């Protein structure tokens, strides 16, 4: 019997080695594919970078319940408040991109880099995967009952007549409410009066001081301001949307009050850490679409002053870029700087 030629033996050995190497390379990819297909196989943490009780937390808790039902898995809401939302964002940016750490925040996520670029330990764009736009809501422009003005026009006149008697409150530096106040002051001709803007850590303390007359005006999401406005503890003068809210049908829009270019919304979205596997992103996006376009969810949101603002991943990414440009313009005009 002839022995195999040595060259043939070398070919066989090389072929076997190549096959083993291919299997080794396929192993992690195959394991990842299996993990993506099985997702989610354990509870998911939804990081909310604000304290309980505000508009972001309120939406997050409603959404978490629906997402848990849709994915058939527990969703744990983890409030990581601090530094205008940057504490929680930093936690997410450092987390594994496996779909088990998600992040729900408002527009402040993309406002922070415009104000705190030198202080940030993460990149608000590159370190995150936009999954879906979820909702948006007009804000309420409210004043203390100690303020005699019954309309925005009267308020502007009163401030111009005695600027030293007035101050604004904001529930977060760089928040939608803060930028809305800055835009209002600019468009109403109050910017040069340098009306103080008092910073509060959350809506509760700001609304309490507004009701008590320690500050005179606030622009804030409906979820937090609406109950006190309806109870008569503060006076709603206008809403910042393009049309009146069905929850406050007698309250005009800012545009109706003479600020023709004034339209402002707080918007909310869902993110994950960067490099989230696409199958997981698609699964989460599909779940968000089903949740946010459901008639029952829309009705629930409307009762809280929100409206469904679902956008898929690509549209949400484009929307973020567009809104960031608008915020940059407001910040420059109002000369807002982080001290």
């Amino acid at each position: 019997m002839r022995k195999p030629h040595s060259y043939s033996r070398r070919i066989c050995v090389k072929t076997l080695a190549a096959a083993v190497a291919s299997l080794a390379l396929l192993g992690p990819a195959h394991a990842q594919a299996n993990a993506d297909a099985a997702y989610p196989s354990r509870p998911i943490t939804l990081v909310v970078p604000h304290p309980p009780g505000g508009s972001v937390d309120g939406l997050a808790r409603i959404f978490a319940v629906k997402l848990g039902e849709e994915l058939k898995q527990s969703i744990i809401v983890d409030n990581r408040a601090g530094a205008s939302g940057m504490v929680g964002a930093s936690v997410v940016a450092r987390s594994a991109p496996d779909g088990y750490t998600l992040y729900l925040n408002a527009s402040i996520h993309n406002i922070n880099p415009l104000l705190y670029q030198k202080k940030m330990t993460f990149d608000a764009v590159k370190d995150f995967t936009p999954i879906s736009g979820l909702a948006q809501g007009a804000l309420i422009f409210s004043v203390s009952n100690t303020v005699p003005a019954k309309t925005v026009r009267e308020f502007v006149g009163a401030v111009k007549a005695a600027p030293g008697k007035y101050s604004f409150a904001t529930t977060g530096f760089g928040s939608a409410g803060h930028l809305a106040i800055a835009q209002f002051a600019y468009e109403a001709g109050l910017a040069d009066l340098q009306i103080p803007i008092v910073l509060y850590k959350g809506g509760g303390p700001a609304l309490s001081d507004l009701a008590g007359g320690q500050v005179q005006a606030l622009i804030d999401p409906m979820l937090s301001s609406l109950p006190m406005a309806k109870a008569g503890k503060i006076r709603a003068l206008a809403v910042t949307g393009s049309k009146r809210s069905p929850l406050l049908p007698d309250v005009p829009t800012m545009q109706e009050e003479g600020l023709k270019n004034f339209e402002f919304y707080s918007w909310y979205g869902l993110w994950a850490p960067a490099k989230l596997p696409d199958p997981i992103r698609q699964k989460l996006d599909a779940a968000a679409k089903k949740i946010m376009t459901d008639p029952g969810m829309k009705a629930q949101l409307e009762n809280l002053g929100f409206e469904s603002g679902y956008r898929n991943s690509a549209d949400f990414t484009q929307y973020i870029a567009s809104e960031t440009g608008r915020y940059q313009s407001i910040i420059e005009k109002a000369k807002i700087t982080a001290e």
Side-chain angles (χ1 to χ4, degrees), residues 170-249:
T170 181
T171 60
F173 187 83
S175 65
H178 184 192
L179 294 196
I181 288 170
Q183 184 178 354
F184 166 71
Y186 179 81
E187 293 192 16
L190 303 178
D192 292 339
L193 300 179
Q194 298 182 336
I195 308 302
I197 298 178
V198 182
L199 176 63
Y200 288 86
K201 294 182 178 179
L207 286 162
S208 177
D209 275 7
L210 182 67
Q214 283 79 23
V215 288
Q216 285 68 51
L218 170 70
I219 300 181
D220 204 41
M222 283 199 181
L223 181 63
S224 46
S225 291
L226 185 63
M228 293 190 72
K230 284 200 164 187
K233 295 180 179 179
I234 57 177
R235 186 185 309 125
L237 296 188
V239 294
T240 65
S242 61
K243 58 186 179 181
R244 295 192 182 197
S245 168
L247 300 178
L248 293 169

Side-chain angles (χ1 to χ4, degrees), residues 28 53 63 96 114 126 144 147 172 200 217 219 239 243 252 316-317 322 336:
F63 180 74
L114 305 177
K126 294 180 180 179
S144 168
V147 173
Y200 288 86
I219 300 181
V239 294
K243 58 186 179 181
F316 185 38
T317 300
S322 173
I336 300 173

